Amino acid sequence: MTRKHISATDASTPVNVVLVTLDNHVNGAIERAEKRLICDLPGINFKSFAATEWEADPSGLEGCRAAIASGDIIIVTMLFMENHIKAVSDALAARRDHCDAMVCCMSAPEIMQFTKMGRFTMDGEPSGPVALLKRLRGAPKDGKPGASGERQLAMLRRLPRILRFIPGTAQDVRAYFLTLQYWLAGSEDNLTRLVSFLIHRYASGPREVLKKVAREEPPIEYPDVGVYHVDGRLRISDTVAPVDDAAGSEGTVGLLLMRSYALAGNTRHYDAVIRALEARGLRVIPAFASGLDARPAVKRFFMSEGESIVDAVISLTGFSLVGGPAYNDTDAAQEMLAELNVPYLAVQALEFQSINQWRESPMGLMPVEATIMVAIPELDGATGPMVFSGRDRDDPKRSFDMSPETERIERLASRVSKLVALHRKQRSEKKIAITLFNFPPNSGAMGTAAHLSVFESLFNSLKALSRAGYSVDLPDSVETLRDSLLKGNAELYGAEANVHATIPVDDHVAREPYLEEIESQWGPAPGKHWTDGRRMFVLGQSFGNVFVGVQPAMGYEGDPMRLLFAGGLAPTHVFSAYYRWLREDYAADAVLHFGTHGALEFMPGKQVGLSDRCWPDRLIADLPNFYLYAANNPSEGLIAKRRSAATLISYLTPPVTKADLHKEFAELRSMIDLWRGRELDATESHLQQLVEA
């Protein structure tokens, strides 16, 4: 059959295509797709808008609403937050019956109801093909989807093939699910085919001539579960590259990526993380899975015969392990992570603000980011939140692509490298630093913690470490342990506890990277705390490969909380020197903060999503941090997790029972009760007996 000739005038007919989605991750692919579409459709105007931009840039929202008002083909996806829904709902409702097609998918029901594709709509009771599809999807159980993401994707591919042979509205239903296929495999090729397909099927009015120009080509299929390759022509595959004998000698790290970013070619931030880890001798397996359920990727690429083949896993997705922001299956995620049994970190690529805004923000992550990207993954068991990328508004050529935050990525790689080394090292060789607290200072509170008998618990912990294979020189008793720490050579140095090591002032001045900031607050080194003027003291005692130290006081004796709430301050010389000594001189493999709570996590800096200017991050650096924390104080425990990269180990508070009174006070209470219950006509002699008693 000979194809009918189409004039240049017909092909140039204007058509406005509008994409409204959550973020800008496909913008680069959209720009490239538009250039290809213009070859066949010179009149096309393809615009995309990201809801995450609207709060910071109200003009962007106005532009989006104006584009919707004149849009011919409108695609809306990933709108599930209330403020995003309210921002465009009325504009979508007003345009719905006047555009050629409106496709709303993977969004809240308030948005999905605006779908109109030929005779297929979603604004009424489900019937016919739609009701059939709901039954095929499976009934939810206990608030969770009836089918896994993997099964839903397989069904998504089968349905268009089945519906192809059913006439009527089913053809529009088929078009809806084909649209989902194009979008979920959103490469430059598939975005080009998506727009061409919708124009070919739904262009109407003066644009109907474009049906003869636009082509319908099936979605290109990519692996639902696969690996990403930094190098080579084939960036996406379903197999892991062969292992070089020299590669991964220091360990193996599994990375979880967003498939949509990899397909869209928006991967500079992923590449930077992979390169930084590989530079430390680590083998990296960058894996992805569709449908926001990462378990298939974990099972296929991070495990073998039910055993983990990686030493740590980092999620770069910004979402929970199972379910993403729309629903979160915490139980399934915890079961998967327990089976994996290696450190699991969830780090953040900024979606709701630019990297420039984050750098300047005293808060760090916005509340919505802290909720979706930090709090929900924490329910799974994730630790170590850290910003590793965002969109750089100072780079106009790449303002819509993710830009790696190099310093943060280096910190992440260094921190993961230490965790992997800790995982692989023999227990007898590991050096552990246990930190006790001294708060409030100068009040006899050294070695105390909320709801914890510190020295008894510490003694039991040392015994447990020894039984587990760590090299520990056990003291004879709790009293011996306490005296060796709180007394020892304290009188010789005029110190508050045993002096285990000293740091010469010249050494501190030469090695302290933030000396100028500390001196602006506390004067020249060594300051006035825990020093004899020539040296600074590290208080504590060594027990084999376990060092038990005392965290220095914050510095303000009369107002110890001042440092926590006043911005722009710095810790004392000895506070910073203590953590540097643990990391570099003692060379601890991990630190255990013992009890609730210390001061590290309350040092000045951002609240969540810290930078290299935040003191908790500077002090803990890449040292693996574990924190024994009271189970009844989750709010401050979260501060320790988020601001000092701590993994919490909970301890129960003492049981509550009726205290009652000592014998003398019990008798006094009884007499008071007798007095209060005396008869009004009691004789004077009777009253005298009560008083004398």
Side-chain angles (χ1 to χ4, degrees):
M1 181 177 178
T2 305
R3 185 175 178 180
K4 184 177 178 181
H5 176 71
I6 303 298
S7 69
T9 302
D10 290 341
S12 299
T13 301
V15 57
N16 296 323
V17 180
V18 180
L19 170 65
V20 184
T21 186
L22 178 66
D23 58 54
N24 284 314
H25 78 271
V26 296
N27 270 45
I30 287 173
E31 289 181 0
R32 296 189 295 272
E34 184 178 23
K35 292 177 182 178
R36 292 171 57 176
L37 286 164
I38 286 174
C39 295
D40 292 331
L41 302 165
I44 193 169
N45 179 23
F46 191 0
K47 292 184 177 180
S48 67
F49 300 90
T52 53
E53 303 285 320
W54 296 340
E55 184 174 349
D57 182 17
S59 64
L61 173 58
E62 292 305 312
C64 176
R65 291 174 59 87
I68 291 172
S70 60
D72 301 312
I73 303 289
I74 301 172
I75 306 164
V76 186
T77 179
M78 294 296 289
L79 294 191
F80 50 83
M81 296 180 62
E82 185 177 1
N83 57 327
H84 296 162
I85 294 168
K86 289 182 176 180
V88 294
S89 287
D90 59 334
L92 293 172
R95 187 60 182 169
R96 179 177 183 265
D97 295 330
H98 305 286
C99 62
D100 299 345
M102 183 175 289
V103 189
C104 303
C105 55
M106 298 173 62
S107 297
E110 298 93 324
I111 295 295
M112 300 277 282
Q113 67 177 339
F114 296 123
T115 295
K116 188 206 72 171
M117 302 174 71
R119 288 184 287 175
F120 173 56
T121 65
M122 289 189 176
D123 57 353
E125 290 295 322
S127 60
V130 180
L132 172 64
L133 295 176
K134 290 178 72 70
R135 289 197 296 271
L136 287 173
R137 188 174 59 191
K141 298 179 180 179
D142 300 325
K144 299 172 184 176
S148 68
E150 204 171 8
R151 287 172 54 197
Q152 289 175 350
L153 286 167
M155 188 185 304
L156 180 63
R157 288 201 179 93
R158 289 197 302 269
L159 285 172
R161 298 167 188 163
I162 298 171
L163 294 171
R164 182 178 181 180
F165 302 103
I166 303 175
T169 306
Q171 292 306 300
D172 294 314
V173 176
R174 175 177 178 269
Y176 181 84
F177 282 97
L178 279 173
T179 300
L180 278 175
Q181 283 191 41
Y182 286 117
W183 175 254
L184 289 174
S187 63
E188 174 187 336
D189 290 326
N190 274 337
L191 290 173
T192 303
R193 294 185 179 197
L194 166 62
V195 174
S196 185
F197 166 71
L198 291 175
I199 293 174
H200 172 79
R201 182 165 182 84
Y202 293 109
S204 62
R207 296 166 297 282
E208 191 164 0
V209 294
L210 297 177
K211 287 185 174 182
K212 303 170 185 177
V213 183
R215 296 187 296 272
E216 177 180 344
E217 297 179 277
I220 299 173
E221 294 188 3
Y222 301 96
D224 291 333
V225 180
V227 291
Y228 167 73
H229 302 280
V230 175
D231 300 312
R233 295 180 60 186
L234 187 63
R235 306 297 291 273
I236 300 292
S237 76
D238 56 3
T239 57
V240 179
V243 181
D244 186 341
D245 290 339
S249 59
E250 301 299 323
T252 302
V253 177
L255 290 187
L256 292 173
L257 318 179
M258 289 292 287
R259 177 175 178 265
S260 57
Y261 276 80
L263 289 174
N266 189 352
T267 57
R268 284 199 306 147
H269 55 323
Y270 294 160
D271 296 348
V273 173
I274 294 168
R275 299 293 192 203
L277 291 168
E278 289 178 339
R280 286 161 174 79
L282 297 167
R283 181 192 180 210
V284 183
I285 305 176
F288 60 80
S290 295
L292 296 179
D293 183 350
R295 287 176 296 176
V298 171
K299 292 177 181 178
R300 182 169 177 179
F301 300 112
F302 302 163
M303 303 184 75
S304 177
E305 298 180 355
E307 297 292 330
S308 173
I309 59 171
V310 296
D311 299 291
V313 173
I314 311 171
S315 173
L316 307 182
T317 67
F319 295 134
S320 56
L321 189 71
V322 182
Y327 74 90
N328 178 50
D329 193 341
T330 299
D331 293 339
Q334 291 178 355
E335 182 180 349
M336 181 76 264
L337 291 175
E339 189 176 348
L340 193 61
N341 195 29
V342 296
Y344 174 61
L345 288 78
V347 296
Q348 294 75 43
L350 299 172
E351 293 288 1
F352 295 84
Q353 61 178 319
S354 69
I355 198 73
N356 319 76
Q357 291 170 313
W358 166 78
R359 289 170 185 155
E360 299 301 322
S361 169
M363 179 181 294
L365 294 184
M366 299 169 63
V368 65
E369 292 171 320
T371 300
I372 294 175
M373 299 180 180
V374 179
I376 295 178
E378 281 175 341
L379 297 175
D380 298 343
T383 61
M386 178 184 292
V387 171
F388 77 99
S389 68
R391 293 177 177 85
D392 187 352
R393 295 304 183 224
D394 293 337
D395 184 357
K397 292 183 178 180
R398 296 180 179 270
S399 61
F400 294 115
D401 286 341
M402 282 294 175
S403 177
E405 185 71 354
T406 304
E407 184 279 329
R408 292 287 81 193
I409 289 174
E410 289 298 318
R411 174 73 87 208
L412 172 65
S414 182
R415 191 170 285 173
V416 171
S417 178
K418 289 289 184 69
L419 284 170
V420 170
L422 180 66
H423 182 250
R424 294 166 68 90
K425 201 169 189 178
Q426 294 294 322
R427 288 180 176 178
S428 60
E429 299 175 1
K430 293 178 182 179
K431 297 180 70 175
I432 308 299
I434 298 177
T435 295
L436 308 184
F437 305 125
N438 177 34
F439 184 83
N442 303 320
S443 301
M446 187 172 291
T448 60
H451 307 299
L452 185 68
S453 180
V454 170
F455 287 102
E456 287 81 358
S457 298
L458 176 59
F459 184 71
N460 291 335
S461 297
L462 291 175
K463 289 195 295 184
L465 286 169
S466 180
R467 288 194 301 269
Y470 291 83
S471 179
V472 183
D473 294 338
L474 279 172
D476 295 332
S477 64
V478 174
E479 290 71 23
T480 304
L481 171 63
R482 181 187 289 108
D483 288 346
S484 66
L485 282 166
L486 300 187
K487 296 180 180 178
N489 61 12
E491 290 188 5
L492 178 64
Y493 286 90
E496 298 179 37
N498 184 72
V499 177
H500 174 75
T502 60
I503 303 171
V505 173
D506 290 343
D507 179 74
H508 173 70
V509 170
R511 296 169 59 194
E512 176 54 62
Y514 311 109
L515 182 67
E516 185 175 341
E517 293 180 49
I518 297 174
E519 288 191 335
S520 67
Q521 186 67 37
W522 300 103
K528 299 178 180 179
H529 303 88
W530 292 10
T531 177
D532 61 4
R534 297 178 295 108
R535 301 165 295 179
M536 289 181 289
F537 302 148
V538 176
L539 303 188
Q541 185 63 271
S542 180
F543 302 93
N545 277 0
V546 178
F547 167 72
V548 180
V550 180
Q551 186 183 77
M554 288 179 286
Y556 291 100
E557 297 178 9
D559 185 10
M561 303 302 287
R562 177 179 173 185
L563 190 63
L564 310 187
F565 300 107
L569 301 184
T572 62
H573 287 281
V574 72
F575 199 103
S576 182
Y578 172 77
Y579 280 95
R580 187 181 67 247
W581 184 87
L582 291 183
R583 299 190 315 266
E584 300 176 10
D585 298 328
Y586 181 69
D589 293 300
V591 61
L592 169 62
H593 287 90
F594 207 83
T596 306
H597 57 71
L600 169 67
E601 62 270 27
F602 294 99
M603 287 291 161
K606 300 180 189 295
Q607 294 182 22
V608 188
L610 277 61
S611 72
D612 62 333
R613 298 181 62 84
C614 301
W615 277 103
D617 186 89
R618 289 174 170 181
L619 294 168
I620 199 65
D622 56 8
L623 182 60
N625 183 17
F626 300 87
Y627 214 131
L628 190 63
Y629 220 91
N632 72 334
N633 193 356
S635 56
E636 289 187 313
L638 288 178
I639 294 174
K641 288 186 69 171
R642 297 173 182 181
R643 302 192 80 239
S644 65
T647 297
L648 299 191
I649 304 165
S650 298
Y651 62 87
L652 295 176
T653 56
V656 177
T657 186
K658 186 176 180 180
D660 220 330
L661 297 171
H662 293 294
K663 179 181 178 181
E664 296 81 0
F665 292 112
E667 292 175 351
L668 176 60
R669 184 178 67 180
S670 176
M671 288 186 288
I672 292 173
D673 289 341
L674 287 172
W675 175 265
R676 295 174 64 185
R678 71 188 186 280
E679 296 180 4
L680 296 177
D681 58 349
T683 63
E684 184 176 345
S685 61
H686 184 210
L687 295 176
Q688 185 67 27
Q689 290 176 0
L690 288 175
V691 172
E692 292 177 353

Coordinates of all heavy atoms in Angstrom, one line a residue, residues 10-44:
D10 N 1.1 20.5 6.1 CA 0.4 19.6 7.1 C 1.3 19.2 8.2 O 0.9 19.2 9.4 CB -0.1 18.3 6.4 CG -1.2 18.6 5.4 OD1 -1.9 19.7 5.6 OD2 -1.4 17.8 4.5
A11 N 2.5 18.9 7.9 CA 3.5 18.4 8.9 C 3.8 19.5 9.9 O 4.2 19.3 11.0 CB 4.7 17.9 8.3
S12 N 3.7 20.8 9.5 CA 4.0 21.9 10.3 C 2.9 22.4 11.2 O 3.0 23.4 11.9 CB 4.5 23.1 9.4 OG 5.7 22.7 8.7
T13 N 1.8 21.7 11.1 CA 0.6 22.1 12.0 C 1.0 22.1 13.4 O 1.6 21.1 13.9 CB -0.5 21.1 11.8 OG1 -0.9 21.0 10.4 CG2 -1.7 21.4 12.6
P14 N 0.8 23.2 14.1 CA 1.2 23.3 15.5 C 0.5 22.2 16.4 O -0.7 22.0 16.2 CB 0.8 24.7 16.0 CG 0.7 25.4 14.7 CD 0.2 24.4 13.7
V15 N 1.3 21.6 17.3 CA 0.7 20.7 18.3 C 1.5 20.9 19.6 O 2.7 20.9 19.6 CB 0.7 19.3 17.9 CG1 2.1 18.8 17.5 CG2 0.1 18.4 18.9
N16 N 0.7 21.2 20.7 CA 1.3 21.4 22.0 C 1.3 20.2 22.9 O 0.2 19.7 23.2 CB 0.6 22.6 22.7 CG 0.8 23.9 22.0 OD1 1.8 24.2 21.4 ND2 -0.3 24.7 22.0
V17 N 2.4 19.7 23.2 CA 2.5 18.5 24.1 C 3.1 19.0 25.5 O 4.1 19.6 25.5 CB 3.4 17.4 23.5 CG1 3.5 16.2 24.4 CG2 2.9 17.0 22.1
V18 N 2.4 18.6 26.5 CA 2.7 19.1 27.9 C 2.9 17.9 28.8 O 2.1 17.0 28.8 CB 1.6 20.0 28.5 CG1 2.1 20.5 29.9 CG2 1.4 21.2 27.6
L19 N 4.1 17.8 29.5 CA 4.4 16.8 30.4 C 4.5 17.4 31.8 O 5.3 18.3 32.0 CB 5.7 16.0 30.1 CG 6.2 15.1 31.2 CD1 5.3 13.9 31.4 CD2 7.6 14.6 30.8
V20 N 3.7 17.0 32.8 CA 3.8 17.5 34.2 C 4.1 16.3 35.0 O 3.4 15.3 35.1 CB 2.4 18.1 34.6 CG1 2.6 18.6 36.0 CG2 1.9 19.1 33.7
T21 N 5.3 16.3 35.7 CA 5.7 15.2 36.5 C 6.4 15.7 37.8 O 6.4 16.9 38.0 CB 6.7 14.3 35.7 OG1 7.0 13.2 36.5 CG2 7.9 15.1 35.4
L22 N 6.8 14.8 38.6 CA 7.4 15.2 39.9 C 8.7 16.0 39.8 O 8.8 17.0 40.5 CB 7.6 13.9 40.8 CG 8.1 14.2 42.2 CD1 7.2 14.9 43.1 CD2 8.5 12.8 42.8
D23 N 9.6 15.5 39.0 CA 10.9 16.1 39.0 C 11.4 16.2 37.6 O 10.7 15.9 36.6 CB 11.9 15.3 39.8 CG 12.0 13.8 39.4 OD1 12.3 13.6 38.2 OD2 11.8 12.9 40.2
N24 N 12.7 16.6 37.4 CA 13.2 17.0 36.1 C 14.2 15.9 35.6 O 14.9 16.1 34.7 CB 14.1 18.3 36.2 CG 13.2 19.5 36.3 OD1 12.2 19.6 35.5 ND2 13.5 20.4 37.2
H25 N 14.1 14.6 36.1 CA 15.1 13.7 35.7 C 15.1 13.3 34.3 O 16.1 12.8 33.7 CB 15.0 12.4 36.6 CG 13.9 11.5 36.2 ND1 12.6 11.6 36.7 CD2 13.9 10.4 35.4 CE1 11.9 10.6 36.2 NE2 12.7 9.9 35.5
V26 N 14.0 13.5 33.6 CA 13.9 13.1 32.1 C 14.1 14.3 31.2 O 14.0 14.2 30.0 CB 12.6 12.4 31.8 CG1 12.5 11.1 32.5 CG2 11.4 13.3 32.1
N27 N 14.3 15.5 31.8 CA 14.4 16.7 30.9 C 15.4 16.6 29.8 O 15.2 17.1 28.7 CB 14.6 17.9 31.8 CG 13.3 18.6 32.2 OD1 12.4 17.8 32.7 ND2 13.2 19.9 32.1
G28 N 16.6 16.1 30.2 CA 17.6 16.0 29.1 C 17.2 15.1 28.0 O 17.4 15.4 26.8
A29 N 16.5 13.9 28.4 CA 16.0 13.0 27.3 C 14.9 13.7 26.5 O 14.8 13.4 25.3 CB 15.5 11.7 28.0
I30 N 14.1 14.5 27.2 CA 13.0 15.2 26.5 C 13.5 16.2 25.5 O 13.0 16.3 24.3 CB 12.1 15.9 27.5 CG1 11.2 14.9 28.3 CG2 11.2 16.9 26.8 CD1 10.5 15.5 29.4
E31 N 14.6 16.9 25.8 CA 15.2 17.9 24.9 C 15.7 17.2 23.7 O 15.5 17.6 22.5 CB 16.3 18.6 25.6 CG 15.8 19.7 26.6 CD 17.0 20.4 27.3 OE1 18.1 20.2 26.9 OE2 16.7 21.3 28.1
R32 N 16.3 16.0 23.9 CA 16.9 15.2 22.7 C 15.7 14.6 21.9 O 15.8 14.6 20.7 CB 17.8 14.2 23.2 CG 19.1 14.7 23.9 CD 20.1 13.6 24.2 NE 19.6 12.6 25.2 CZ 19.7 12.7 26.5 NH1 20.3 13.8 27.0 NH2 19.3 11.8 27.3
A33 N 14.7 14.2 22.6 CA 13.5 13.6 21.9 C 12.8 14.7 21.1 O 12.4 14.4 19.9 CB 12.5 13.0 22.9
E34 N 12.7 15.9 21.6 CA 12.0 17.0 20.8 C 12.8 17.3 19.5 O 12.2 17.5 18.5 CB 11.9 18.2 21.7 CG 11.2 19.4 21.0 CD 11.0 20.6 21.9 OE1 11.8 20.8 22.8 OE2 10.1 21.4 21.6
K35 N 14.1 17.3 19.6 CA 14.9 17.5 18.4 C 14.6 16.5 17.3 O 14.6 16.8 16.1 CB 16.4 17.6 18.7 CG 16.8 18.8 19.6 CD 18.3 18.7 20.0 CE 18.6 19.9 20.9 NZ 20.1 19.9 21.3
R36 N 14.4 15.2 17.8 CA 14.2 14.2 16.8 C 12.7 14.3 16.3 O 12.5 14.1 15.1 CB 14.4 12.8 17.5 CG 15.8 12.5 17.8 CD 16.0 11.3 18.6 NE 15.4 10.1 18.0 CZ 15.5 8.9 18.6 NH1 16.2 8.7 19.7 NH2 15.0 7.8 18.0
L37 N 11.8 14.7 17.1 CA 10.4 14.8 16.7 C 10.2 15.9 15.7 O 9.4 15.8 14.8 CB 9.5 15.0 17.9 CG 9.3 13.8 18.8 CD1 8.7 14.3 20.2 CD2 8.3 12.8 18.1
I38 N 11.0 17.0 15.8 CA 10.9 18.1 14.9 C 11.2 17.8 13.5 O 10.6 18.4 12.6 CB 11.8 19.3 15.4 CG1 11.2 19.9 16.7 CG2 12.0 20.3 14.4 CD1 12.1 21.0 17.3
C39 N 12.0 16.7 13.3 CA 12.3 16.3 11.9 C 11.0 15.9 11.2 O 10.9 16.2 10.0 CB 13.3 15.2 12.0 SG 14.9 15.6 12.6
D40 N 10.1 15.2 11.9 CA 8.9 14.8 11.2 C 7.7 15.7 11.5 O 6.8 15.9 10.7 CB 8.5 13.4 11.7 CG 9.4 12.3 11.2 OD1 10.0 12.5 10.1 OD2 9.6 11.3 11.9
L41 N 7.8 16.4 12.7 CA 6.7 17.3 13.1 C 7.2 18.7 13.5 O 7.4 19.0 14.6 CB 6.0 16.7 14.4 CG 5.4 15.3 14.2 CD1 5.1 14.6 15.5 CD2 4.1 15.3 13.3
P42 N 7.5 19.5 12.5 CA 8.1 20.8 12.7 C 7.3 21.7 13.6 O 7.9 22.6 14.2 CB 8.3 21.4 11.3 CG 8.2 20.2 10.4 CD 7.3 19.2 11.0
G43 N 6.0 21.4 13.7 CA 5.2 22.3 14.5 C 5.0 21.9 16.0 O 4.3 22.5 16.7
I44 N 5.8 20.9 16.4 CA 5.6 20.4 17.7 C 6.2 21.4 18.8 O 7.3 22.0 18.5 CB 6.2 19.0 17.9 CG1 5.7 18.4 19.2 CG2 7.7 19.0 17.8 CD1 6.1 16.9 19.3

